[in-house]
Amino acid sequence: MFKNRGIAFRLRFYILFGIFAIFAAIMFINYGSSRDILMKMVRQNASNLALSTVNTIENVLNGAEKIPENLAPILENIEPNENQIKKFLEPIVRHNKEVFGACVSYEPYSYHPNKKYFAPYYFKDGDSASYKVLGGVDYEYFYLDWYQIPKMLEKPVWTEPYFDENGGNIIMSTYSVPFYKRDNGSREFNGIVTVDIDMSWLKNVIDSIDIVTSGYAFLISKKGTFLTHPVDSLIMNESIFSLADETNNEKLRKIGKSMIAGETNFIKYNPFVGNEDAWLYYTESPSGGWSIGIIFPEDELFADLHSLFLTLLALAVGGLILIFFVITVISNRITRPIEVLAGISEDIGTGNFDVILPPIIYNDEIGRLTHSFEVMKEELKNYIRNLEEATAARNKIESELKIAHDIQQGIIPKIFPPFPDRIDVDLYAILDPAKEVGGDLYEFFFIDDETIIFAVGDVSGKGVPASLFMAITRTLLRAKAEPGMLANEIVTSINKELCKDNDNAMFVTFFLGLLSLKTGELNYCNAGHNYPYILRKNHEIQEINQTHGTPLGLFEDMDYKIGNLSLNKEDSIVLYTDGIPEAMDIDGNLFGDDRLEEVLKSLCCEATPEKITKQLLEVTKSYAGEAEQSDDITILVLTYYLNKHVFFNINEKHLTVVNKVEEITKVEDFIEHTAREWKLEHAEARKVNLAAEEIVSNIINYGYGDENEHKIKVVLAYGDGRLKAMFSDDGVPFNPTEKKDPDSIDKPIEEREIGGLGIFFVMQLMDKVEYKREGNMNILIIEKVIKSNS
């Protein structure tokens, strides 16, 4: 800022800046303090408003809950006839204004051997109460969520708000309580007692909240659906997640996840109604699992505070202008001689060494400074001339080395995973040169559909000659390797070419392997290279301690031998150059083969190729510490996966979705449609659908640590009376079969810990649950015995 400014300017600036800084600090401290106090008051007010509203909602819901909870024990102790049931239900509807309807829904043929459907239902009809019996082929209530979920969980449940066409023909939420037949200490599920709450009263409760001038409140369900909102078209038609997608608002999606998780927070946010900045307070209504949000427009909160701030700012600017004129007059008288020399020094600094200095009149500080400038000007002329010559030469060398480095890095494959569509093999490699360019190399490619060729080499020497020899070797590998050739035949062919016109006697140690992915058979040739290691699935480590000839480029008539071995499923082979065992610490001690084996044993079969590669490189560099890297380091790790997943030879269907909440509906429709197509028993297929919904929801909400789009694959297969569903994703590793059952399953809802019930629910519904981690993929398989009506 000041490089082209004089002392007078800096003096004026520092004084003005000091005065302004003191004034601004006082003003901003007061402003910030006032703002903090105001925000605490707003947060407390929002908390009180939300708590009051939640208490109002909870009073209604808790009162409604007691009705079926008190009626269920009565139904368990007597076997009422239809008239008695009507007498139970009618006063519930007539004398509880919050209750729209009440129902006793029996299991098929449980009430009477000849009655499959029997669900007496009393509901409000204007100012009176009406009665009808629900059930029929067009309304099989015992397959609906309000009936199935409490039956499966054996506990009372509030449903997600819905529009009930056959019951009340209104938007309602149902509280369902299971009741049982009891006989000599045993019990058998008998049916569900419900009360229906008309959701229209919620809008009046939320609209009654007094929030500044243009603030408002809204309520969402446990799935994010709007239950109340100042925009009526959103109610029961949109969710907070669908709005996030429509507006491409990732912050809104995160807020939605936090709200449905039952969290409380007070954050700054640009709302989806209006464009002004605002503050959002949200908290949970625990009985229904709903969440209330209150919006406070920021302009209205801080209007008075902003007005005061602007007034003080205007006073400060006026004062600074006045002070500026006074300081300018004084500073110019003091600093004018120095400014003249400063201007001359700027000319010299730009390369004008012929500038004329002012004559020396007095032998004071200014005179001596002028003489020093004259001496400096001549010395700089000579120095700049010599520096330009040296810089030109150095820049030329550095430019050539940079080009060589880019060329070398560009010819080796660096996209990992290299074969994302294959699950029978995974590979990762890295090349870390000791200088700008090096002589190490790695290469891999498919020689045919079932055979992968991979190699690692180390050229003698370093720098540009080694990098050129490395490039030639890699080019020859791709040119000479053909389908049907063995490893030693390819190596022999490359050696003959490298020996031609090799006047500098350069050579390369080389290991080449050809792996059949169909059989796991590996044929390989080691031309004087470091011994690779195999990390077996059974936690054993095996050194491939065979050498089949000298390094390439030394003897043209060398006849290279071949080695053979077999890889089992999930075995890994580790190739490396001598930059690993010969890495030295600051005292000159080698890393060594023993330490290398210890590191590999610690990673044996417990890591992916990427993790093994990066961990080995990290340990090596950590050992070397501040010591300069003495040699190039190259590591290549390949893991072999034998078979893909196979279910049955018939009846298999596939679906791929992405990690968005709205994709869950596609999975539900896919399973339901497939179950109907295969004519599977509806009730049991419904259990698989409920489990699948929970699994996919967990993957979407908790499986990924980034905001990118990921694919989730679903496979359905049916045979031998069993329905299998496989879910595969590339999220963080998570084995649900190792998750312990929640300790709080028998506690009241308000005393339970958040989370864990979904996994418990899946384990209870399914006959078998399996988990595998293959490569970077989670594989979860659930199984259910189901009859087919075909």
Side-chain angles (χ1 to χ4, degrees), residues 207-227:
D207 289 347
S208 66
I209 301 175
D210 184 16
I211 311 168
V212 291
T213 302
S214 58
Y216 62 92
F218 63 93
L219 189 72
I220 64 172
S221 71
K222 55 189 173 185
K223 286 190 176 180
T225 303
F226 286 104
L227 304 182

Side-chain angles (χ1 to χ4, degrees), residues 187-421:
R187 69 175 189 172
E188 178 183 353
F189 178 76
N190 198 22
I192 299 293
V193 184
T194 70
V195 290
D196 298 330
I197 302 298
D198 184 349
M199 300 301 292
S200 61
W201 63 274
L202 273 176
K203 181 171 178 58
N204 296 330
V205 172
I206 301 301
D207 289 347
S208 66
I209 301 175
D210 184 16
I211 311 168
V212 291
T213 302
S214 58
Y216 62 92
F218 63 93
L219 189 72
I220 64 172
S221 71
K222 55 189 173 185
K223 286 190 176 180
T225 303
F226 286 104
L227 304 182
T228 70
H229 196 276
V231 180
D232 292 338
S233 61
L234 298 180
I235 300 175
M236 295 302 295
N237 294 320
E238 297 280 358
S239 72
I240 195 167
F241 300 109
S242 65
L243 280 183
D245 288 339
E246 291 174 8
T247 59
N248 195 25
N249 192 332
E250 189 58 34
K251 185 173 183 180
L252 180 57
R253 178 179 294 278
K254 292 180 179 179
I255 290 173
K257 289 182 179 180
S258 176
M259 292 182 73
I260 66 174
E263 298 175 358
T264 297
N265 205 349
F266 184 58
I267 59 174
K268 188 174 183 180
Y269 174 62
N270 184 270
F272 40 83
V273 176
N275 296 318
E276 70 281 0
D277 287 338
W279 288 82
L280 169 63
Y281 181 89
Y282 58 86
T283 190
E284 181 189 29
S285 177
S287 290
W290 307 333
S291 184
I292 184 173
I294 303 176
I295 299 290
F296 296 87
E298 188 174 65
D299 289 345
E300 297 178 23
L301 290 179
F302 301 113
D304 293 339
L305 191 60
H306 288 164
S307 177
L308 176 61
F309 176 77
L310 291 175
T311 301
L312 293 176
L313 184 61
L315 292 174
V317 171
L320 286 173
I321 293 174
L322 178 61
I323 295 173
F324 175 78
F325 285 112
V326 175
I327 294 175
T328 299
V329 174
I330 299 173
S331 61
N332 283 340
R333 294 180 180 179
I334 298 174
T335 60
R336 183 59 185 169
I338 299 177
E339 287 181 349
V340 172
L341 282 178
I344 293 174
S345 68
E346 289 178 2
D347 288 339
I348 295 176
T350 59
N352 181 14
F353 298 112
D354 297 322
V355 63
I356 299 175
L357 295 172
I360 299 175
I361 300 175
Y362 302 104
N363 192 24
D364 54 8
E365 289 82 359
I366 300 299
R368 291 193 296 272
L369 182 60
T370 303
H371 176 71
S372 299
F373 268 48
E374 187 67 38
V375 174
M376 177 186 68
K377 183 178 68 171
E378 295 303 320
E379 292 294 328
L380 282 175
K381 281 185 180 181
N382 297 329
Y383 176 78
I384 292 299
R385 187 185 306 110
N386 296 333
L387 182 61
E388 287 175 348
E389 295 174 357
T391 300
R394 184 173 65 252
N395 288 343
K396 182 179 180 181
I397 295 173
E398 290 179 351
S399 176
E400 292 174 350
L401 288 176
K402 177 64 170 60
I403 294 172
H405 175 271
D406 293 342
I407 293 173
Q408 183 183 40
Q409 292 297 316
I411 64 175
I412 60 174
K414 295 189 291 296
I415 298 177
F416 297 99
F419 316 112
D421 294 333

Side-chain angles (χ1 to χ4, degrees), residues 705-752:
D706 56 45
E707 303 300 329
N708 298 328
E709 184 175 285
H710 298 264
K711 292 183 179 180
I712 304 169
K713 296 183 179 179
V714 184
V715 180
L716 284 181
Y718 182 75
D720 301 330
R722 294 174 293 148
L723 178 63
K724 286 188 176 183
M726 182 182 77
F727 306 87
S728 59
D729 66 271
D730 60 349
V732 296
F734 175 68
N735 185 354
T737 63
E738 296 178 350
K739 183 76 173 179
K740 294 182 179 179
D741 292 345
D743 297 332
S744 57
I745 188 66
D746 296 324
K747 295 181 180 179
I749 292 177
E750 62 273 10
E751 297 180 11
R752 295 178 187 166

Side-chain angles (χ1 to χ4, degrees), residues 523-562:
N523 73 85
Y524 62 93
C525 181
N526 188 344
H529 196 71
N530 301 84
Y531 295 147
Y533 289 90
I534 296 179
L535 310 184
R536 296 290 187 184
K537 177 63 176 176
N538 59 4
H539 299 280
E540 293 182 357
I541 181 172
Q542 175 185 344
E543 184 182 50
I544 309 178
N545 53 357
Q546 293 185 22
T547 301
H548 303 110
T550 60
L552 308 183
L554 293 178
F555 305 104
E556 186 174 358
D557 58 351
M558 172 61 65
D559 184 18
Y560 290 91
K561 308 301 180 184
I562 192 172

Side-chain angles (χ1 to χ4, degrees), residues 640-694:
Y640 172 56
Y641 300 104
L642 180 58
N643 293 318
K644 300 180 179 179
H645 294 284
V646 178
F647 284 144
F648 307 104
N649 293 327
I650 59 172
N651 289 344
E652 183 170 304
K653 289 186 176 292
H654 299 256
L655 173 71
T656 300
V657 297
V658 297
N659 54 322
K660 294 184 178 180
V661 173
E662 54 270 24
E663 296 283 273
I664 297 175
T665 304
K666 293 183 181 179
V667 178
E668 294 174 342
D669 294 343
F670 168 66
I671 296 176
E672 182 177 351
H673 176 78
T674 303
R676 286 200 304 268
E677 180 181 333
W678 292 345
K679 298 181 180 179
L680 303 182
E681 187 177 19
H682 181 78
E684 297 302 307
R686 176 63 179 166
K687 294 177 183 178
V688 175
N689 211 337
L690 289 172
E693 178 185 353
E694 183 62 36

Side-chain angles (χ1 to χ4, degrees), residues 441-460:
L441 69 100
Y442 68 79
E443 181 60 287
F444 54 85
F445 54 90
F446 275 90
I447 199 169
D448 57 43
D449 290 342
E450 298 296 336
T451 306
I452 185 173
I453 184 170
F454 57 95
V456 166
D458 184 2
V459 179
S460 60

